[in-house]
């Protein structure tokens, strides 16, 4: 019997959970196929199939789905509503499976289960049960594979908290520690952000991301807000942002937003205001969209790094 | 304490009635104008959706009139609106305004907190007075919506364009001025009678178009460039997927009053959209399905540019349109205020709807004439 393949679009939540998902499906004996790094072809396919008003990462996701569809036995397209108590993903992630079905109608078997950990007693049990039925394994086996995968994910995340950059980026130590804040799918997708991490490193930056701040520290700082931040990634950005704002080692903060991102429009604004109050820390917002002119980006980060270097020395 | 709140359509009449009944001094922000928009734009994050920008303009203008307390609604996400107040507070702080901000979070999550906030706003008024205030405000909200629903019918058929709007404006003023229950009912009935007196073309076949989408854009004519009035003048009868009184009943009264509810749309959204996506995204999809099955000719989805739940709905509506054979157009609104572009789109959409009606009629007649 041939090994069945499950396709995972290399976009959006891939940048958070690829390790978890890959470990899970492989443990169940499936072959995992990612759609590969974003490229011009994928981006264009996404732009032409998603509505104009969608944000860049959603368009990119559409492209990745088309890259995979019909090449795999199963397409992993979960509706991730919430991963933490009383929190949400953004509305577009909540609607993503329906959006994809409406405009692309992929002919592959979809693993389109709902994952919702928002309520007090929610568990992964139902979702895992559904996945098990779709791919044809026992519930027990799925549960065991999930536990195993969760451990792998924990190992992966604790490695990030130690200060390591993921996705093959090397750490470059320097006197200029820069916090680069944004959604994982913007920060680590080198195609859509035009190799921002590498560019900054070449200019002498030591990159710190929100993934390097421990869950406890994020919760501690986020709990100082007058109102709970209900987006999980928004909470991570505000929590790690506050942590970096108060950390004298961090010489500047760059907030990478994508055009049309709802949470970014408010979260970035809050961080910018806090950074500016009392002239605390250099802060810059970079917004990326499907235009790929590099010159503007390079000019801005060069100016930012020059300023930091002058300030530090 | 001088209390203000953001504008949203006729909300100010209802909110003012509530607060004044509780003897709370109220500052209604000046009607939304170019100045409001300009002030809002200069103090808001560029990529925030338009309601936040107008809110900011309202708050700055209300402060100029002496307001020192803002009452604002909250939310638990995932729509951005739930965090509006937090961002607005920070912006106002940096601008040097000494506003106290009272954020009322949705009652389905924290009833005790809601009670506390009401006590704070009403400055400890007894519950019988608070109940009276809520009843009085509700009466006004419902009166306005009943009059407006009639206006939407008359606009499409009146012989002299603008008659219905004149009555409507007068009715809003009268309802706003009414000091007691009798006054509100009298204002409402007078408006309904005046609307009945407007000469109309009784035999005119009018198109019926639903305005669906995001609540603020639907309810605030400054933002939607008076789309309903324009549609009416183009001879279209409009129905909204949501009226203010329905929102109040759905969200604050837990549906105790038996009027139309937006919750019904949720049942009609699957299989197109089988899950809540924040805001009214699922309701938008469901309302399109409902209107398509209740004799409407088409729907127009309204939303602020970059509105997340409505982008989800917009992505799905083409399938609804195809499967239900129901034309749907989406219009996004931002700070651009040129009406001409919107008018051209409305005219084109209505032409399309008219042609469909003609086509259907000629098909229905085929067997009579034997072609």
């Amino acid at each position: 019997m041939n090994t069945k393949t499950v396709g995972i679009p290399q976009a959006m939540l891939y940048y958070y959970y690829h390790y978890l998902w890959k470990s899970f499906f492989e443990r169940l004996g499936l072959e995992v196929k990612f759609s590969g790094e974003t490229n011009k072809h994928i981006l264009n396919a996404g732009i032409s199939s998603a509505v104009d008003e969608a944000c860049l990462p959603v368009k990119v996701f559409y492209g990745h789905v088309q890259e995979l569809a019909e090449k795999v036995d199963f397409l992993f397209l979960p509706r991730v509503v919430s991963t933490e108590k009383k929190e949400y993903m953004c509305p577009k992630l909540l609607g993503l499976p329906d959006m994809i079905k409406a405009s692309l109608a992929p002919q592959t078997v979809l693993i389109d289960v709902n994952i919702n950990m928002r309520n007090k007693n929610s568990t992964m049990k139902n979702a895992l049960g559904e996945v098990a039925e779709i791919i044809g394994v026992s519930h027990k086996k799925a549960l065991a594979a999930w536990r195993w995968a969760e451990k792998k994910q924990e190992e992966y995340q604790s490695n990030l908290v130690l200060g390591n950059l993921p996705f093959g980026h090397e750490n470059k130590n320097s006197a200029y520690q820069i916090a680069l804040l944004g959604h994982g799918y913007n920060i680590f997708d080198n195609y859509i952000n035009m190799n921002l991490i590498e560019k900054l490193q070449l200019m002498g930056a030591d990159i710190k991301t929100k993934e390097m701040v421990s869950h406890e520290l994020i919760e501690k700082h986020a709990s100082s807000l007058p109102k709970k931040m209900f987006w999980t990634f928004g909470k991570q950005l505000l929590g790690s942002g506050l942590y970096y704002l108060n950390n004298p080692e961090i010489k500047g903060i760059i907030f990478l937003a994508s055009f049309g991102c709802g949470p970014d429009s408010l979260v970035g604004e809050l961080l910018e205001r806090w950074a500016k109050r009392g002239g605390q820390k250099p802060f810059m917002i970079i917004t990326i969209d499907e235009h790929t002119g590099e010159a503007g980006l390079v000019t801005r980060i060069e100016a930012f790094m020059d300023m930091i270097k002058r300030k530090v020395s | 304490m001088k209390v203000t709140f953001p504008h949203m359509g006729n909300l100010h009449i209802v909110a003012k009635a509530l607060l004044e009944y509780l003897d709370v001094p109220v500052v209604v922000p000046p009607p939304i104008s170019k100045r409001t928009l300009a002030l809002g734009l200069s103090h808001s994050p560029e990529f925030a959706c338009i309601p936040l920008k107008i809110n900011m303009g309202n708050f700055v203008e209300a402060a100029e009139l002496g307001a020192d307390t803002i009452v604002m609604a909250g939310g638990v996400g995932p729509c951005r609106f739930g965090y509006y107040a937090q961002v607005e507070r920070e912006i106002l702080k940096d601008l040097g305004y000494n506003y106290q901000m009272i954020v009322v979070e949705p009652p389905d999550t924290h009833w005790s907190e809601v009670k506390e906030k009401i006590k704070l706003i009403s400055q400890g008024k007894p519950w019988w007075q608070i109940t009276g205030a809520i009843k009085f405000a509700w009466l006004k909200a419902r009166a306005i919506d009943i009059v407006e629903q009639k206006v939407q019918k008359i606009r499409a058929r009146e012989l002299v364009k603008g008659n219905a709007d004149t009555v409507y404006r007068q009715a809003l003023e009268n309802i706003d001025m009414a000091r007691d229950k009798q006054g509100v009912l009298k204002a409402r009935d007078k408006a309904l009678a005046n609307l009945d007196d407007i000469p109309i073309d009784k035999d005119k076949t009018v198109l019926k178009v639903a305005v669906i989408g995001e609540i603020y854009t639907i309810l605030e004519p400054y933002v939607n460039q008076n789309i309903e009035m324009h549609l009416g003048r183009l001879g279209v009868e409009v129905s909204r997927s949501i009226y203010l009184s329905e929102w109040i009943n759905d969200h604050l009264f837990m549906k105790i009053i038996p009027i139309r509810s937006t919750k019904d749309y949720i049942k009609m959204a699957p299989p197109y959209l089988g899950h809540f996506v924040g805001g009214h995204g699922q309701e938008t999809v469901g309302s399109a399905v409902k209107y398509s099955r209740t004799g409407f000719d088409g729907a127009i989805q309204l939303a602020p540019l970059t509105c997340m739940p409505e982008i989800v709905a917009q992505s799905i509506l083409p399938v609804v349109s195809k499967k239900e054979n129901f034309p749907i157009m989406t219009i996004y609104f931002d700070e651009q205020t040129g009406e001409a572009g919107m008018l051209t789109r409305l005219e084109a959409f209505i032409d399309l709807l008219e042609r469909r009606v003609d086509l259907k009629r000629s098909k229905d007649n085929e067997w009579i004439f034997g072609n």
Side-chain angles (χ1 to χ4, degrees), chain B residues 173-350:
Chain B
E173 204 173 296
N174 293 346
I175 293 171
D176 190 21
M177 300 290 277
R179 283 288 150 265
D180 52 25
K181 187 181 169 184
Q182 297 318 321
V184 178
L185 294 179
K186 217 175 112 189
R188 180 195 69 187
D189 294 340
K190 192 179 164 208
L192 291 176
N194 287 346
L195 286 169
D196 278 331
D197 289 343
I198 292 175
I200 56 166
D201 180 350
K202 284 199 184 68
D203 305 320
K204 189 174 176 186
T205 45
V206 298
L207 289 169
K208 284 168 78 180
V209 170
V211 168
I212 61 176
E214 187 275 333
I215 179 169
Y216 185 93
T217 341
I218 293 179
L219 295 186
E220 180 45 64
Y222 186 87
V223 167
N224 69 34
Q225 300 172 356
N226 248 314
I227 189 167
E228 287 188 16
M229 194 196 73
H230 287 300
L231 282 167
R233 293 190 177 181
L234 289 166
V236 173
E237 184 182 323
V238 176
S239 171
R240 275 181 208 163
S241 59
I242 188 164
Y243 291 83
L244 182 61
S245 57
E246 292 168 354
W247 185 89
I248 295 172
N249 187 38
D250 280 349
H251 294 271
L252 304 179
F253 296 174
M254 304 302 152
K255 297 206 284 180
I256 50 168
I257 293 156
I259 55 170
R260 189 179 73 158
S261 165
T262 53
K263 306 274 177 198
D264 296 339
Y265 302 140
I266 294 173
K267 293 181 204 134
M268 306 194 80
Y272 305 110
L273 179 54
H275 200 281
F276 160 78
V277 293
H280 290 104
Q282 203 183 9
E283 282 88 338
T284 297
V285 172
S287 65
V289 176
K290 185 167 181 196
Y291 278 118
S292 76
R293 295 176 187 173
T294 46
F296 277 75
D297 297 293
I300 303 177
Q301 180 199 17
L302 309 185
L305 188 71
T306 74
C307 172
M308 300 181 283
E310 296 300 328
I311 287 174
V312 175
Q314 183 203 3
S315 306
I316 291 162
L317 285 176
V319 182
V320 178
S321 177
K322 202 172 162 194
K323 292 246 170 84
E324 308 284 338
N325 187 23
F326 187 61
I328 305 170
M329 172 169 75
T330 299
I331 304 183
Y332 283 102
F333 292 96
D334 61 5
E335 50 255 49
Q336 311 297 325
T337 51
E339 277 190 1
M342 184 190 73
L343 269 176
T344 309
R345 293 188 66 192
L346 291 185
E347 283 165 2
F349 188 65
I350 290 160

Side-chain angles (χ1 to χ4, degrees), chain A residues 53 91 227 231 265 273-274 277, chain B residues 75 78 82-83 90 94 105:
Chain A
E53 286 76 8
K227 171 176 175 167
W231 296 303
S265 71
R273 286 187 180 273
W274 295 335
R277 274 183 203 161
Chain B
Y83 226 72
E90 297 296 305
D94 283 347
E105 297 293 343

Side-chain angles (χ1 to χ4, degrees), chain A:
Chain A
M1 199 183 90
N2 282 340
T3 313
K4 296 235 172 170
T5 52
V6 55
I8 298 180
Q10 198 158 328
M12 298 214 86
L13 295 183
Y14 162 90
Y15 287 95
Y16 290 86
Y17 297 117
H18 69 289
Y19 215 74
L20 175 76
W21 295 341
K22 184 172 190 280
S23 310
F24 172 67
F25 286 116
E26 286 185 348
R27 188 76 172 177
L28 289 172
L30 281 92
E31 189 192 324
V32 173
K33 196 172 158 81
F34 294 119
S35 47
E37 293 198 355
T38 309
N39 55 39
K40 196 174 180 178
H41 170 73
I42 289 177
L43 179 61
N44 284 341
I47 290 171
S48 56
S49 52
V51 294
D52 289 342
E53 286 76 8
C55 56
L56 181 62
V58 163
K59 291 177 181 170
V60 169
F61 189 88
Y62 271 63
H64 281 275
V65 168
Q66 290 169 81
E67 189 71 15
L68 277 176
E70 282 141 53
K71 289 184 196 157
V72 288
D73 299 306
F74 303 104
L75 184 63
F76 190 50
L77 195 63
R79 184 199 311 281
V80 184
V81 177
S82 165
T83 56
E84 291 190 42
K85 306 286 170 246
K86 295 187 170 182
E87 290 174 15
Y88 278 116
M89 293 285 135
C90 85
K92 284 176 226 166
L93 277 164
L94 268 64
L96 203 52
D98 298 279
M99 292 160 74
I100 293 288
K101 279 186 244 174
S103 54
L104 301 176
Q107 293 306 307
T108 317
V109 179
L110 299 180
I111 304 178
D112 56 347
V113 299
N114 291 348
I115 295 170
N116 188 350
M117 307 293 281
R118 187 166 189 271
N119 299 323
K120 227 188 288 170
N121 304 317
S122 357
T123 64
M124 283 295 296
K125 210 172 154 228
N126 285 346
L128 289 173
E130 284 172 51
V131 176
E133 310 251 310
I134 296 169
I135 59 179
V137 297
S138 72
H139 289 210
K140 216 177 131 190
K141 216 175 151 193
L143 200 65
W146 185 257
R147 292 219 180 96
W148 187 79
E150 272 186 326
K151 277 209 192 83
K152 290 274 159 195
Q153 176 77 8
E154 269 167 41
E155 282 168 25
Y156 168 72
Q157 282 180 342
S158 35
N159 188 39
L160 301 183
V161 172
L162 289 175
N164 295 307
L165 284 166
F167 303 104
H169 288 289
E170 276 176 42
N171 284 50
K172 297 266 162 65
N173 294 328
S174 85
Y176 311 114
Q177 291 192 12
I178 303 293
L180 178 60
L181 299 178
H183 290 103
Y185 41 79
N186 292 330
I187 300 280
F188 299 117
D189 187 329
N190 296 329
Y191 183 77
I192 65 168
N193 68 30
M194 295 173 255
N195 283 313
L196 184 58
I197 291 182
E198 204 188 315
K199 282 196 170 81
L200 283 165
Q201 284 178 333
L202 285 173
M203 292 174 195
D206 180 357
I207 300 293
K208 303 290 172 194
T209 69
K210 74 179 165 68
E211 285 72 20
M212 297 177 188
V213 185
S214 71
H215 186 72
E216 291 71 32
L217 275 174
I218 283 181
E219 291 295 335
K220 187 186 141 202
H221 284 90
S223 67
S224 69
L225 300 169
K227 171 176 175 167
K228 180 177 171 57
M229 165 48 74
F230 44 69
W231 296 303
T232 299
F233 297 148
K235 178 195 73 182
Q236 291 172 356
L237 289 167
L238 288 180
S240 60
L242 284 169
Y243 167 74
Y244 284 136
L245 271 176
N246 293 309
N247 183 342
E249 294 296 311
I250 300 292
K251 305 302 175 201
I253 298 179
I254 297 177
F255 189 88
L256 184 70
S258 52
F259 183 83
C261 173
D264 279 353
S265 71
L266 302 189
V267 169
E269 172 79 9
L270 286 173
L271 283 174
E272 185 172 29
R273 286 187 180 273
W274 295 335
K276 277 184 180 165
R277 274 183 203 161
Q280 252 191 337
K281 211 151 267 190
F283 187 96
M284 176 167 72
I285 294 185
I286 295 176
T287 304
I288 47 172
D289 61 11
E290 47 261 58
H291 297 103
T292 47
E294 274 194 57
L297 177 78
V298 171
T299 309
R300 289 190 67 198
I301 57 175
E302 263 176 7
F304 189 76
M305 288 306 296
D306 283 351
M307 173 187 67
I308 297 224
K309 285 174 187 165
R310 198 167 317 138
K311 222 177 152 205
V312 171
S313 56

